[in-house]
Amino acid sequence: MRDAQPKAIYLKDYQQPDYWIERTELTFELQDEYTLVTAQLDCVRNEQAQPGAALLLAGQDLELLSLVLDGQPLTAGQYETGEESLTVHGLQERSQLEIQTRIYPAKNTALEGLYRSGGMYCTQCEAEGFRRITYYLDRPDVMSVFTTHIIADAAQFPVLLSNGNLVADCVDDGLHKVTWHDPHKKPAYLFALVAGDLRVKEDRFTTMNGRDVALKIFVEPQNIDKTDYALDALKRSMRWDEETYGREYDLDIFMIVAVDDFNMGAMENKGLNIFNSSCVLANPATATDAAYQRIEAIVAHEYFHNWSGNRVTCRDWFQLSLKEGFTVFRDACFSADMNSATVKRIEDANIMRTVQFAEDGGPMAHPVQPDSFIEISNFYTVTIYEKGSEVVGMLHKILGKDGFRKGSDLYFERHDGQAVTIYDFVQAMEDANHVDLTLFKRWYKQAGTPVVTVNSEYDADAQQLRLTLSQRCPDTPGQSNKLAQWIPVQLGLIGADGQDLAIDVEPAAAWTESSQVLHLTEAEQTFVFNGISEQPRLSLFRDFSAPVKVEFEQSADDLLFLLQHDSDGFNRWDAGQRLMLSWISAAQQGRFELLPQVRDVFARLLADESLDPAMVSCLLTLPSEAYIAEFSAQVDPLAIHAARKQVQQAIAASLVKEFSACYQRLQSTAAYAPVPAQMSARSLKNLALAYWVKGSADGLAQAVSQYRSADNMTDQMAALVAVVNSGASAQAEQLLGDFYQQWSQDALVVNQWLSVQAGSAELGRVEFIQQLLAHPAFDWRNPNKVRSVLGAFANQALCHFHREDGAGYRLLADAVLRLNDSNPQIAARLLTPLTKWRRLVPELSELMKAELQRIMQHDALSKDVYEVVSKSLI
Ligand code: TRP
Ligand code: ZN
């Protein structure tokens, strides 16, 4: 596949193209074996280009059938084709180029470009998939008005969709012919086409200016009863974006299509979002509360892209976080408004600390605005998405809600219809607020997680607290000697009564009263708090105000106090997690004991009905093994597993009565609904059940009974997981068998069944994973199934993945090599756990590295896999 070593592309080499494409008219003739694509491109020479400049188009896996320039068929010498390009000579200032290509969607297993999923056709063009459809200027700064004709067998394809408005639709001699026209200019990555025999669920939305929009969700016939929730979430998103950002929808129709084979979560194609079916379909019997919340967030995310991504798009792919970071920030605020804001913040901080900090500390570390890449698909990362969102969130904290809104208004107004850079976004924030964000911009340029060290001294005589904060940022590949970043430290000083003390700090300019934020902008700074009449407890980085690591020794007593009394919910949780981490590390050294005062605090939390149950559930959840690993200097996964289990067992055993009482109290007879109050209660109820099962046989019996009587997937799945994790293998086997019997016809539920087993410490042994891979429910071509088995195994069943003889690593490496040919994007993503070899204890580290070297020796590596493996071995 690969002839030479793949080359890196650099941000610094960015240049505008020599031509623009004003208008793009596409005709698709869908035939059984292949599809014919005719593209008419109205090209206009860039003012900056030389007259006579050649037109250089990208193309991949295309059969070129004909080329016509301004009505004249082109002959050899007037054009050249390369491995992945087409060069055309002889264009005028304005020329029309017509290109006919043949493509083979049924053979397209990479799921980029036009492909078949089950009986339907669909597309995925971001980032560089359009070039698998036709030769094109496949780059986001080339924006064009698209008209799309689709011709297909009428019986097989009653539904034919593309972007924009339907302008023609007829059946002629057994052929279904439609034309769609999208009046908004867009880059090719937002193009979409869908063909199939689909059912539709319809609704309407009236925009803030009274415009009527048709909303349609298209699904395969068996899924029509799983569309209500997404439709509802869509309407809530549309209203929220009007109210929060003043953004109105801009077409008369908005469509969502669910497809089973999809590399990612969903795609924001203009007016025609395409979703992984797992991120849109739900009903109470088949979807858990967690799935409902994911659906709400992703529907919102894709909808919000209509402004942050589509109306204002990216100049080049180095600016990816311009749309993704901002849009994740927008969907996070939406989810926070719809549900518990604190719980959402905790979930996001958890992802940052486990996944993003790990990426920052590994071989693929890159800035939010990367300066180079080999394969752009590898840069759809937690750094671009989640850290990008955190950076936008810091701007929100620094500028305040109103200042941020002024900035976003200016950004949308100034750049509507343009392809811009991350700095255009920051510039709008600066201009609207008359602030200088030069220092802040370092967040976009520097990779790595800053570490903030805290020192505080209380002077009772002077009634002063001196707080010294210093920051450093570790080296990352290609970057050393980093500069200080602008770190917003939201904080409180807590008195003995649990109340926040009034803040009077010097220098006063470093404090923003409205957001309670202290601005750390230098490598080291000392702040003096005056009028402090008692030694306060410090609550720092409230609400996870910056994506940093904090080095700060606080006593167990202080942490227990914060866990109970901090007015900031996030820091209550954080104090609890820090305590639990200390117990786990004590357990690793064989000296852990659950103190009676801790037990009592937990008992009180469980009984406190004034608290949000979902919050209590977070407070009592142990950090995951991956989270613990991130807080360890050298990672010994088996020791972490054993220590965590010991702490979990101790909590379960000493609070059996409290967990069972909490469980009983939260039992409900109300009909299931995916609404926040119910979801919150279920999350604590099922956490209590999980502990109760570990603590006593009664708990196990109750879990089996809940499994049998559940009328919704949340309770059924929670009971199943509790039984599987209890180690009661006979009951587990029985329930898993029943579950498969009940749900074998529902692919999304079967995927959950695969993942519960593959990710379980009790079951997920290497030999068992091999059995799952051979199970009729498994399919190598379907990314959701690959993630359900191999993703769950390598990211969750850590005690088996890190088996002493390296068999877990070998299994994953074999899977990567197998997927390398058929689906490189998925192959490269699966590799992530193998990139962490440097952090492991020496024996495991060597075994893991050996598997990377084995992959590297393969002589036909895709760019995707090559980039990750080669960077991991440097
Ligand atoms: N833009 C999409 C989103 O975040 C991401 C995406 C969907 C994607 N499918 C993809 C990225 C395939 C790369 C390849 O909403
Ligand atoms: Zn996105």
Side-chain angles (χ1 to χ4, degrees), residues 782-819:
N782 180 268
N784 288 353
K785 300 214 180 277
V786 171
R787 280 185 280 262
S788 291
V789 176
L790 293 155
F793 168 65
N795 293 298
Q796 284 161 48
L798 298 180
C799 61
H800 300 300
F801 175 60
H802 294 284
R803 204 167 100 168
E804 282 115 329
D805 64 356
Y809 308 152
R810 206 172 319 127
L811 174 83
L812 193 67
D814 285 342
V816 167
L817 286 173
R818 175 170 188 148
L819 288 161

Short mmCIF file of all heavy atoms in Angstrom, two decimals, residues 782-819:
data_model
loop_
_atom_site.label_atom_id
_atom_site.label_comp_id
_atom_site.label_asym_id
_atom_site.label_seq_id
_atom_site.Cartn_x
_atom_site.Cartn_y
_atom_site.Cartn_z
N ASN A 782 -17.48 -4.09 11.64
CA ASN A 782 -18.32 -3.10 12.33
C ASN A 782 -17.54 -2.45 13.49
O ASN A 782 -17.23 -3.11 14.49
CB ASN A 782 -19.59 -3.79 12.84
CG ASN A 782 -20.49 -2.81 13.56
OD1 ASN A 782 -20.40 -2.64 14.77
ND2 ASN A 782 -21.34 -2.14 12.82
N PRO A 783 -17.24 -1.16 13.38
CA PRO A 783 -16.42 -0.51 14.41
C PRO A 783 -17.02 -0.60 15.82
O PRO A 783 -16.29 -0.71 16.80
CB PRO A 783 -16.35 0.94 13.94
CG PRO A 783 -16.54 0.88 12.46
CD PRO A 783 -17.49 -0.26 12.23
N ASN A 784 -18.35 -0.54 15.94
CA ASN A 784 -18.94 -0.63 17.27
C ASN A 784 -18.63 -1.97 17.92
O ASN A 784 -18.40 -2.04 19.13
CB ASN A 784 -20.47 -0.47 17.20
CG ASN A 784 -20.87 0.97 16.88
OD1 ASN A 784 -20.03 1.86 16.84
ND2 ASN A 784 -22.15 1.18 16.65
N LYS A 785 -18.61 -3.03 17.13
CA LYS A 785 -18.32 -4.34 17.70
C LYS A 785 -16.85 -4.46 18.07
O LYS A 785 -16.50 -5.02 19.11
CB LYS A 785 -18.73 -5.44 16.72
CG LYS A 785 -20.21 -5.40 16.40
CD LYS A 785 -20.80 -6.76 16.17
CE LYS A 785 -22.29 -6.65 15.85
NZ LYS A 785 -23.11 -6.54 17.08
N VAL A 786 -16.00 -3.91 17.23
CA VAL A 786 -14.57 -3.91 17.54
C VAL A 786 -14.31 -3.17 18.85
O VAL A 786 -13.59 -3.63 19.73
CB VAL A 786 -13.76 -3.29 16.38
CG1 VAL A 786 -12.30 -3.08 16.77
CG2 VAL A 786 -13.87 -4.16 15.13
N ARG A 787 -14.96 -2.00 18.99
CA ARG A 787 -14.81 -1.25 20.25
C ARG A 787 -15.38 -2.01 21.43
O ARG A 787 -14.80 -2.01 22.51
CB ARG A 787 -15.52 0.11 20.14
CG ARG A 787 -14.74 1.18 19.39
CD ARG A 787 -15.47 2.52 19.44
NE ARG A 787 -16.54 2.59 18.47
CZ ARG A 787 -16.41 3.19 17.28
NH1 ARG A 787 -15.28 3.78 16.94
NH2 ARG A 787 -17.42 3.20 16.44
N SER A 788 -16.54 -2.67 21.22
CA SER A 788 -17.20 -3.36 22.33
C SER A 788 -16.33 -4.49 22.89
O SER A 788 -16.35 -4.75 24.08
CB SER A 788 -18.54 -3.96 21.90
OG SER A 788 -19.45 -2.92 21.65
N VAL A 789 -15.61 -5.16 22.03
CA VAL A 789 -14.78 -6.27 22.51
C VAL A 789 -13.35 -5.79 22.78
O VAL A 789 -12.87 -5.81 23.92
CB VAL A 789 -14.79 -7.45 21.52
CG1 VAL A 789 -13.83 -8.54 22.01
CG2 VAL A 789 -16.20 -8.00 21.39
N LEU A 790 -12.66 -5.31 21.75
CA LEU A 790 -11.24 -5.00 21.92
C LEU A 790 -11.01 -3.71 22.69
O LEU A 790 -10.10 -3.62 23.51
CB LEU A 790 -10.56 -4.96 20.55
CG LEU A 790 -10.54 -6.35 19.89
CD1 LEU A 790 -10.44 -6.23 18.38
CD2 LEU A 790 -9.38 -7.18 20.43
N GLY A 791 -11.84 -2.72 22.44
CA GLY A 791 -11.73 -1.47 23.19
C GLY A 791 -12.00 -1.70 24.67
O GLY A 791 -11.26 -1.23 25.53
N ALA A 792 -13.06 -2.42 24.96
CA ALA A 792 -13.40 -2.68 26.37
C ALA A 792 -12.29 -3.49 27.03
O ALA A 792 -11.87 -3.20 28.15
CB ALA A 792 -14.73 -3.42 26.46
N PHE A 793 -11.80 -4.49 26.34
CA PHE A 793 -10.73 -5.33 26.89
C PHE A 793 -9.49 -4.49 27.24
O PHE A 793 -9.00 -4.50 28.37
CB PHE A 793 -10.37 -6.43 25.88
CG PHE A 793 -9.10 -7.18 26.19
CD1 PHE A 793 -9.00 -7.97 27.33
CD2 PHE A 793 -8.01 -7.08 25.34
CE1 PHE A 793 -7.83 -8.66 27.62
CE2 PHE A 793 -6.83 -7.77 25.63
CZ PHE A 793 -6.75 -8.55 26.77
N ALA A 794 -8.99 -3.75 26.27
CA ALA A 794 -7.70 -3.07 26.46
C ALA A 794 -7.80 -1.83 27.35
O ALA A 794 -6.80 -1.38 27.89
CB ALA A 794 -7.10 -2.70 25.11
N ASN A 795 -8.99 -1.26 27.46
CA ASN A 795 -9.11 -0.04 28.27
C ASN A 795 -9.74 -0.28 29.64
O ASN A 795 -9.67 0.58 30.51
CB ASN A 795 -9.91 1.02 27.51
CG ASN A 795 -9.16 1.52 26.28
OD1 ASN A 795 -8.08 2.08 26.41
ND2 ASN A 795 -9.72 1.28 25.11
N GLN A 796 -10.40 -1.41 29.81
CA GLN A 796 -11.09 -1.64 31.08
C GLN A 796 -10.65 -2.90 31.83
O GLN A 796 -10.52 -2.87 33.04
CB GLN A 796 -12.60 -1.69 30.85
CG GLN A 796 -13.19 -0.29 30.63
CD GLN A 796 -14.54 -0.36 29.95
OE1 GLN A 796 -15.41 -1.12 30.36
NE2 GLN A 796 -14.71 0.41 28.91
N ALA A 797 -10.46 -3.99 31.10
CA ALA A 797 -10.05 -5.23 31.78
C ALA A 797 -8.53 -5.21 31.96
O ALA A 797 -7.80 -6.08 31.48
CB ALA A 797 -10.49 -6.45 30.98
N LEU A 798 -8.06 -4.18 32.68
CA LEU A 798 -6.62 -3.92 32.70
C LEU A 798 -5.82 -5.07 33.32
O LEU A 798 -4.69 -5.33 32.93
CB LEU A 798 -6.33 -2.60 33.42
CG LEU A 798 -6.96 -1.37 32.74
CD1 LEU A 798 -6.63 -0.10 33.49
CD2 LEU A 798 -6.50 -1.25 31.29
N CYS A 799 -6.42 -5.78 34.27
CA CYS A 799 -5.66 -6.86 34.91
C CYS A 799 -5.42 -8.02 33.93
O CYS A 799 -4.51 -8.81 34.13
CB CYS A 799 -6.35 -7.33 36.19
SG CYS A 799 -8.01 -7.97 35.93
N HIS A 800 -6.23 -8.12 32.87
CA HIS A 800 -6.01 -9.17 31.87
C HIS A 800 -5.21 -8.65 30.68
O HIS A 800 -4.37 -9.36 30.13
CB HIS A 800 -7.34 -9.75 31.39
CG HIS A 800 -8.13 -10.34 32.51
ND1 HIS A 800 -7.66 -11.38 33.29
CD2 HIS A 800 -9.33 -10.01 33.03
CE1 HIS A 800 -8.54 -11.68 34.22
NE2 HIS A 800 -9.57 -10.84 34.10
N PHE A 801 -5.49 -7.41 30.31
CA PHE A 801 -4.73 -6.82 29.20
C PHE A 801 -3.23 -6.83 29.53
O PHE A 801 -2.39 -7.12 28.69
CB PHE A 801 -5.23 -5.40 28.93
CG PHE A 801 -4.45 -4.67 27.88
CD1 PHE A 801 -4.36 -5.16 26.58
CD2 PHE A 801 -3.80 -3.47 28.18
CE1 PHE A 801 -3.63 -4.48 25.61
CE2 PHE A 801 -3.07 -2.80 27.21
CZ PHE A 801 -2.99 -3.30 25.93
N HIS A 802 -2.92 -6.51 30.79
CA HIS A 802 -1.50 -6.44 31.21
C HIS A 802 -1.01 -7.78 31.76
O HIS A 802 -0.22 -7.80 32.71
CB HIS A 802 -1.32 -5.34 32.25
CG HIS A 802 -1.58 -3.96 31.73
ND1 HIS A 802 -0.69 -3.28 30.94
CD2 HIS A 802 -2.65 -3.13 31.85
CE1 HIS A 802 -1.18 -2.08 30.61
NE2 HIS A 802 -2.38 -1.97 31.16
N ARG A 803 -1.47 -8.89 31.20
CA ARG A 803 -1.04 -10.20 31.68
C ARG A 803 0.48 -10.32 31.62
O ARG A 803 1.10 -9.83 30.67
CB ARG A 803 -1.70 -11.27 30.79
CG ARG A 803 -1.83 -12.59 31.45
CD ARG A 803 -2.75 -13.44 30.63
NE ARG A 803 -1.99 -14.37 29.80
CZ ARG A 803 -2.56 -15.39 29.16
NH1 ARG A 803 -3.88 -15.57 29.23
NH2 ARG A 803 -1.82 -16.20 28.44
N GLU A 804 1.04 -11.03 32.60
CA GLU A 804 2.51 -11.05 32.74
C GLU A 804 3.25 -11.58 31.52
O GLU A 804 4.40 -11.21 31.29
CB GLU A 804 2.94 -11.91 33.94
CG GLU A 804 2.79 -11.23 35.27
CD GLU A 804 1.75 -11.93 36.13
OE1 GLU A 804 0.78 -12.49 35.54
OE2 GLU A 804 1.89 -11.89 37.36
N ASP A 805 2.61 -12.46 30.73
CA ASP A 805 3.34 -13.01 29.59
C ASP A 805 3.14 -12.22 28.30
O ASP A 805 3.59 -12.62 27.24
CB ASP A 805 2.94 -14.48 29.38
CG ASP A 805 1.46 -14.62 29.01
OD1 ASP A 805 0.75 -13.58 29.00
OD2 ASP A 805 1.02 -15.74 28.73
N GLY A 806 2.42 -11.08 28.40
CA GLY A 806 2.26 -10.24 27.21
C GLY A 806 1.18 -10.72 26.24
O GLY A 806 1.02 -10.15 25.15
N ALA A 807 0.40 -11.74 26.62
CA ALA A 807 -0.61 -12.29 25.69
C ALA A 807 -1.70 -11.26 25.38
O ALA A 807 -2.27 -11.26 24.29
CB ALA A 807 -1.23 -13.55 26.27
N GLY A 808 -1.98 -10.37 26.33
CA GLY A 808 -2.99 -9.33 26.09
C GLY A 808 -2.50 -8.35 25.04
O GLY A 808 -3.25 -7.93 24.16
N TYR A 809 -1.25 -7.97 25.13
CA TYR A 809 -0.68 -7.02 24.16
C TYR A 809 -0.64 -7.66 22.77
O TYR A 809 -0.91 -7.01 21.77
CB TYR A 809 0.75 -6.62 24.55
CG TYR A 809 0.91 -6.12 25.98
CD1 TYR A 809 2.13 -6.27 26.65
CD2 TYR A 809 -0.15 -5.50 26.65
CE1 TYR A 809 2.28 -5.79 27.95
CE2 TYR A 809 0.00 -5.04 27.95
CZ TYR A 809 1.22 -5.19 28.60
OH TYR A 809 1.38 -4.74 29.87
N ARG A 810 -0.29 -8.97 22.75
CA ARG A 810 -0.21 -9.67 21.46
C ARG A 810 -1.58 -9.71 20.79
O ARG A 810 -1.70 -9.49 19.60
CB ARG A 810 0.33 -11.09 21.69
CG ARG A 810 1.02 -11.69 20.49
CD ARG A 810 1.71 -13.02 20.83
NE ARG A 810 2.37 -12.99 22.12
CZ ARG A 810 2.18 -13.89 23.11
NH1 ARG A 810 1.33 -14.89 22.93
NH2 ARG A 810 2.83 -13.78 24.25
N LEU A 811 -2.58 -10.00 21.61
CA LEU A 811 -3.95 -10.05 21.06
C LEU A 811 -4.32 -8.71 20.41
O LEU A 811 -4.85 -8.66 19.31
CB LEU A 811 -4.93 -10.38 22.19
CG LEU A 811 -6.41 -10.34 21.83
CD1 LEU A 811 -6.83 -11.66 21.19
CD2 LEU A 811 -7.28 -10.10 23.06
N LEU A 812 -4.00 -7.61 21.10
CA LEU A 812 -4.37 -6.30 20.56
C LEU A 812 -3.54 -5.99 19.31
O LEU A 812 -4.07 -5.48 18.31
CB LEU A 812 -4.17 -5.21 21.62
CG LEU A 812 -4.81 -3.87 21.24
CD1 LEU A 812 -6.33 -3.98 21.21
CD2 LEU A 812 -4.40 -2.76 22.20
N ALA A 813 -2.26 -6.31 19.35
CA ALA A 813 -1.41 -6.03 18.18
C ALA A 813 -1.89 -6.84 16.97
O ALA A 813 -1.92 -6.32 15.84
CB ALA A 813 0.04 -6.36 18.50
N ASP A 814 -2.29 -8.07 17.18
CA ASP A 814 -2.84 -8.89 16.08
C ASP A 814 -4.08 -8.22 15.49
O ASP A 814 -4.26 -8.17 14.27
CB ASP A 814 -3.21 -10.30 16.57
CG ASP A 814 -1.97 -11.17 16.80
OD1 ASP A 814 -0.89 -10.83 16.26
OD2 ASP A 814 -2.09 -12.19 17.51
N ALA A 815 -4.92 -7.69 16.37
CA ALA A 815 -6.15 -7.04 15.90
C ALA A 815 -5.81 -5.79 15.09
O ALA A 815 -6.42 -5.50 14.06
CB ALA A 815 -7.04 -6.69 17.09
N VAL A 816 -4.82 -5.04 15.55
CA VAL A 816 -4.41 -3.82 14.83
C VAL A 816 -3.93 -4.19 13.43
O VAL A 816 -4.31 -3.56 12.44
CB VAL A 816 -3.31 -3.08 15.61
CG1 VAL A 816 -2.66 -2.00 14.75
CG2 VAL A 816 -3.87 -2.48 16.90
N LEU A 817 -3.12 -5.24 13.33
CA LEU A 817 -2.60 -5.64 12.02
C LEU A 817 -3.74 -6.11 11.11
O LEU A 817 -3.75 -5.82 9.92
CB LEU A 817 -1.56 -6.75 12.18
CG LEU A 817 -0.22 -6.24 12.72
CD1 LEU A 817 0.73 -7.39 13.01
CD2 LEU A 817 0.42 -5.26 11.73
N ARG A 818 -4.68 -6.79 11.69
CA ARG A 818 -5.81 -7.26 10.89
C ARG A 818 -6.64 -6.07 10.36
O ARG A 818 -7.07 -6.07 9.21
CB ARG A 818 -6.67 -8.16 11.77
CG ARG A 818 -7.91 -8.59 11.09
CD ARG A 818 -8.62 -9.66 11.87
NE ARG A 818 -9.70 -10.14 11.04
CZ ARG A 818 -10.16 -11.35 11.05
NH1 ARG A 818 -9.62 -12.25 11.87
NH2 ARG A 818 -11.14 -11.70 10.26
N LEU A 819 -6.84 -5.08 11.20
CA LEU A 819 -7.67 -3.94 10.80
C LEU A 819 -6.90 -2.91 9.97
O LEU A 819 -7.49 -2.04 9.35
CB LEU A 819 -8.25 -3.26 12.04
CG LEU A 819 -9.36 -4.08 12.73
CD1 LEU A 819 -9.56 -3.61 14.16
CD2 LEU A 819 -10.66 -3.97 11.95
#
